[in-house]
Amino acid sequence: MTAFGGVGLGLRRELLDPVLQHKPDIIDFFEVAPENWLPFGGKLGKKFRALTEQHAFICHGLSLSLGSPDPLDLDFLADVKTFLKTHQIKLYSEHLSYCSAGGHLYDLMPIPFTSAAARYVARRIRQVQEVLEQQLVIENVSYYAAPGQEMSELDFTLEVLQQADCGLLLDVNNVYVNSVNHGYDARAFIAAMPTRQLVYGHIAGHYHASDTLLIDTHGAAVIDPVWQLLQFAYQQHGEFPTLLERDFNLPELAVLAQELLQIKSLQQQASTAQIRVAG
């Protein structure tokens, strides 16, 4: 497990000044994409450094492209390693997907659910861990097509986790979105995840295109079925650090704090239930 815990918020640049002026007490840690902050120095860089010196931060990458046929970008990994050390960030997570093939695709594409692909991705995850000299945490992603599928998303995810011996970032909203779009049992997926490897979680909102199509947007409030899935995840795996993602349509920080309080409430309920069972 990592040294952070509690409730987190994805830090977007629009939130930098409001957080510097008054960070809600409910926020225990922040998450940033290194790609969004690596290029910046000057005034913006100083503001960011002021926050990382005072508060717990983790990193969630966007462009490592674990499933790509292209070689891993070792120069980029070196930059990430320096960034992590500079800001004393102990955790780096990435998506179980790819975003490049002879050039950047500017989207997170689904890796084919095959045994060969699982072995390939696990090997690349182990390589990343060797370069960074720390564990990589991988996130289950939302997807809308499954080209070349030979196994279920669940079996593919478990195979990668087992072979790579990496950490798991459980995105509860992605499980919900995929369960609706592809017709599987979201609770069974969550229950099957390995508790030993679960490092932290994500929760977010999405766009309801139709009763059979949800789009993972991070642009809306979290809905009740997703909150219920998070509660179920705590019941299955115990309380784990959980972060709220909101990428656009950003409300006031006070509004986001209300969703963070909902996470905290569910964590406290799970903790109380565990104490009762242990007693």
Side-chain angles (χ1 to χ4, degrees), residues 2-23:
T2 56
F4 74 103
V7 176
L9 178 65
L11 183 67
R12 307 297 174 248
R13 284 199 291 275
E14 300 92 322
L15 296 174
L16 186 58
D17 285 332
V19 166
L20 280 168
Q21 292 164 13
H22 177 67
K23 181 188 80 68

Side-chain angles (χ1 to χ4, degrees), residues 145-157:
Q149 183 170 3
E150 297 176 2
M151 57 202 303
S152 69
E153 177 197 354
L154 173 59
D155 289 341
F156 177 78
T157 303

Side-chain angles (χ1 to χ4, degrees), residues 110-115 117 145-151:
I111 301 170
F113 297 150
T114 68
S115 295
Q149 183 170 3
E150 297 176 2
M151 57 202 303

Side-chain angles (χ1 to χ4, degrees), residues 181-202:
N181 291 344
H182 303 289
Y184 67 69
D185 186 335
R187 293 194 170 209
F189 186 100
I190 288 174
M193 291 295 102
T195 303
R196 176 185 69 84
Q197 290 170 269
L198 204 170
V199 176
Y200 76 114
H202 274 175

Side-chain angles (χ1 to χ4, degrees), residues 27 79 89 93 100 134 152 174 176 189 211 213 224 246:
I27 301 174
D79 289 341
I89 296 174
S93 65
S100 62
Q134 68 181 64
S152 69
N174 287 350
Y176 179 76
F189 186 100
D211 288 344
L213 179 60
D224 285 344
R246 187 67 177 260

Side-chain angles (χ1 to χ4, degrees), residues 138-190:
I138 61 165
E139 178 190 27
N140 58 293
V141 299
S142 57
Y143 65 100
Y144 305 95
Q149 183 170 3
E150 297 176 2
M151 57 202 303
S152 69
E153 177 197 354
L154 173 59
D155 289 341
F156 177 78
T157 303
L158 291 175
E159 187 70 15
V160 171
L161 288 169
Q162 191 276 325
Q163 291 193 30
D165 195 25
C166 57
L168 167 66
L169 161 51
L170 178 60
D171 191 307
V172 175
N173 181 65
N174 287 350
V175 175
Y176 179 76
V177 166
N178 290 348
S179 73
V180 172
N181 291 344
H182 303 289
Y184 67 69
D185 186 335
R187 293 194 170 209
F189 186 100
I190 288 174

